[in-house]
């Protein structure tokens, strides 16, 4: 399953950090961040609950960029 989320981030480098943090989260098959569009696309592994996985993605993104936001 793929979903798209609106994000808030200050710079392209921070967006790259968010993308890496999302990719390294359990339950995420693939993730990409478009800084210009302020969007994050996430593909979830089979059988995963997107809501609970995205809470973990947000936690991981906050570790690398504490002023970022993902609108769940």
């Amino acid at each position: 399953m793929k979903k798209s989320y609106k994000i808030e981030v200050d710079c392209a480098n921070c967006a790259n950090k968010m993308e890496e943090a999302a990719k390294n989260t359990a339950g995420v098959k693939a993730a990409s961040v478009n800084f210009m569009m302020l969007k994050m696309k996430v593909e979830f592994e089979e059988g995963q609950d997107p809501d609970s996985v995205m809470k973990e993605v947000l936690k991981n993104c906050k570790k690398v960029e504490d002023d970022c936001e993902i609108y769940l």
Side-chain angles (χ1 to χ4, degrees):
M1 173 190 297
K2 292 182 183 178
K3 288 185 106 176
S4 183
Y5 298 90
K6 182 175 175 9
I7 62 169
E8 189 174 306
V9 64
D10 296 332
C11 67
N13 187 41
C14 301
N16 287 337
K17 289 180 185 177
M18 285 180 72
E19 183 175 305
E20 285 304 310
K23 285 179 181 177
N24 293 326
T25 303
V28 174
K29 187 174 184 180
S32 65
V33 172
N34 184 324
F35 173 65
M36 297 301 285
M37 300 289 288
L38 292 177
K39 294 267 187 207
M40 175 185 281
K41 290 184 181 174
V42 180
E43 184 176 353
F44 300 96
E45 291 177 356
E46 194 68 38
Q48 295 292 324
D49 174 38
D51 293 336
S52 59
V53 172
M54 284 308 295
K55 287 177 185 169
E56 289 303 311
V57 168
L58 180 57
K59 281 185 200 172
N60 291 340
C61 287
K62 291 274 190 190
K63 288 178 189 171
V64 296
E65 189 52 47
D66 61 350
D67 66 344
C68 71
E69 189 59 68
I70 302 172
Y71 297 99
L72 306 176

